[in-house]
Amino acid sequence: MLNFDELEKGFTEEEALAEAARCLKCKKPLCVGGCPIENRIPEIITAIEARDYQAAIAIINANSNLAIICARVCPHNDQCEGACVLNRKGEGIQISKLERFLAEKEMELTLNQMRDKIAIIGSGPAGLSVAAILAKQNYRVTIFEAQAKAGGVLRYGIPEYRLPNEVVEKQIEVVRNLGVRLETGVVIGEDLTIDQLFAMDYRAIFIGTGTGLSRKLEVDGESLPGAMQAIYFLGTVSLIQDGSLANRPYPVLPGDRVLVVGAGNVAVDAARTALRLGAASVRAVDIVPEKERRASDKEYDEALHEGVSFTFETSVTQIHGEDKLTGVTLQKFTRQLCGRESIIRPLPGSEERIACDKLIIAVGQKPFARIVSTTTGIKTNERGYVITENAPFYGMTTRAGVFAAGDVVHEPKTVILAMREGRRVAEALDSFLRSRDI
Ligand code: FAD
């Protein structure tokens, strides 16, 4: 039976040098005229004879960027090789095989310059930064991302009206163009473990998995239809908008009365998104006083301007509904000094029952334990954040060769902080691998 093995074999170095020596280096080279892109064939062959392969490759690359392909599939007999004057005396120069020899040499040289394989888990700002920095240093970088698309909170958290997905997409393209491979839909800790990644020859691993697990309100009824976490709400809206969940209805419908719990930036993004989906009213409550709210002044002012109402020192103490959410009980909270400690306590008699159709909970996030629970040696603090070193390798976890940065280490903060830490960790990771090589 015929097989699909490549028919033609390439030149060895010795054969290439012998073939190059046969070339007459014609003053008026017919081969150049025969080549549709006018490759400077005699110059290339002269450089091969001098064993200056880099120079020969540079001459080819000036005209062609698919030499390794053209060497195999061009109709050489009708082009450069067919035009060679040596055909008249016997056998013309096998230009295609010289081209192939050079193209393979180039690939070998390029691959030899490539450094170790590094796995990045998570494609938020921390992972993207580390990936870009290390790819520029010739490391072979693969990002493993649990979601179907890359970007982390930039794509699935921050709403379109503040950061269009198109912009995120362009930024990711820039990172890809540096040679970074992106494997989406792969959950590390489920589909692959850290130990498996090491067994796949990744010499170092970076964890930039953020804080995807929402904190609960710890009030009965949180799982009633109509009640949802802000991260889920924002992520679902984003997926519907980008067509991934095109047939699903939005989680907030026109006319809904929405109550948001929390007044941080995530809560404000959720409240403003609910308004954009046509909610009849959006009210946000937070247990802290107004001046202690976590939302930035800009976000808060814009939300007020758009029609979100805020009530402070108030939280939800009961969730009502049988098959679906129908309302909540709100209660006032006050701060009382208890010795040296200040404790927030509910104010008896301040309960107020209100009707609402949707409840969006935004009271904080923390990291998932999927990775640390499926491998050994990576310690976390009591709240689940990954512990990292300051020295000798900044950002290394308690397991050698595994680094971490971003929200999964320093708690939910900002994009710029995730990036800054990513940069520091990328530098340390490079030093770690160099020290191992020595
Ligand atoms: P993330 O951005 O959370 O990325 C983590 C990635 O890891 C995700 O893509 C996730 O899917 C992936 N992942 C998790 N586990 C796994 C696994 N096991 N396997 C594979 N992949 C995994 N900051 C600002 O500076 N300005 C803002 O305006 C702003 N607005 C915000 C709005 C919202 C709604 C939220 C939630 C946050 C906002 N932040 C803002 C905070 C900022 O987005 C985060 O601090 C930043 O995204 C953290 O980056 P990261 O790379 O550490 O994590």
Side-chain angles (χ1 to χ4, degrees), residues 157-161 226 228-230 232-238 241 250-261 265-284 303 306-310 356-362:
I158 303 178
E160 278 266 323
Y161 63 85
M228 67 199 103
Q229 289 288 347
Y232 164 84
F233 168 63
L234 291 168
T236 307
V237 171
S238 173
Q241 282 173 337
Y250 281 111
V252 163
L253 300 172
D256 276 349
R257 295 157 299 174
V258 177
L259 187 86
V260 177
V261 190
N265 284 326
V266 177
V268 169
D269 276 345
R272 296 176 70 191
T273 299
L275 277 182
R276 281 166 175 73
L277 294 177
S281 66
V282 181
R283 178 178 180 185
E306 286 178 2
V308 179
S309 72
F310 288 86
C356 63
D357 307 296
K358 299 287 155 60
L359 176 68
I360 303 178
I361 302 161

Side-chain angles (χ1 to χ4, degrees), residues 121-127 144-147 149 151-154 156-159 162 186-189 208-211 231 234 265-266 269 299 365 368 370-371 405-408 410 412-416 418:
I121 313 175
S123 64
F144 294 94
E145 167 56 52
Q147 298 277 5
K149 289 186 180 163
V153 170
L154 307 180
Y156 293 110
I158 303 178
R162 292 208 293 121
V186 182
V187 183
I188 305 300
T209 45
T211 49
I231 295 294
L234 291 168
N265 284 326
V266 177
D269 276 345
E299 296 291 315
Q365 297 114 246
F368 280 104
R370 284 185 293 226
I371 295 177
D407 284 1
V408 73
H410 57 46
K413 292 239 162 62
T414 56
V415 171
I416 193 82

Side-chain angles (χ1 to χ4, degrees), residues 295-425:
S296 68
D297 288 346
K298 179 173 180 290
E299 296 291 315
Y300 180 57
D301 290 346
E302 284 177 4
L304 281 171
H305 179 73
E306 286 178 2
V308 179
S309 72
F310 288 86
T311 313
F312 290 93
E313 296 176 276
T314 299
S315 192
V316 169
T317 50
Q318 283 180 62
I319 297 171
H320 306 292
E322 293 287 323
D323 313 320
K324 65 176 184 127
L325 174 87
T326 53
V328 298
T329 297
L330 298 177
Q331 187 162 15
K332 282 264 162 216
F333 281 71
T334 54
R335 195 164 278 165
Q336 291 171 358
L337 267 180
C338 193
R340 282 189 180 176
E341 256 185 280
S342 146
I343 292 178
I344 295 182
R345 288 220 166 96
L347 195 65
S350 65
E351 295 89 346
E352 174 199 2
R353 187 170 169 149
I354 64 160
C356 63
D357 307 296
K358 299 287 155 60
L359 176 68
I360 303 178
I361 302 161
V363 293
Q365 297 114 246
K366 57 182 183 174
F368 280 104
R370 284 185 293 226
I371 295 177
V372 292
S373 64
T374 52
T375 189
T376 51
I378 303 176
K379 286 196 184 144
T380 55
N381 67 16
E382 65 292 346
R383 284 170 302 128
Y385 291 90
V386 174
I387 296 171
T388 57
E389 294 174 357
N390 280 328
F393 301 112
Y394 186 85
M396 191 151 90
T397 66
T398 42
R399 177 158 179 186
V402 181
F403 291 73
D407 284 1
V408 73
V409 172
H410 57 46
E411 308 200 4
K413 292 239 162 62
T414 56
V415 171
I416 193 82
L417 265 181
M419 258 177 52
R420 186 194 74 188
E421 292 303 289
R423 170 168 292 282
R424 288 182 179 172
V425 171

Side-chain angles (χ1 to χ4, degrees), residues 45-73:
I45 294 182
T46 306
I48 294 179
E49 250 192 301
R51 294 174 193 247
D52 190 350
Y53 303 129
Q54 295 277 22
I57 289 163
I59 303 169
I60 286 206
N61 286 349
N63 274 7
S64 160
N65 40 23
L66 294 178
I68 204 158
I69 312 282
C70 293
R72 287 168 163 86
V73 299

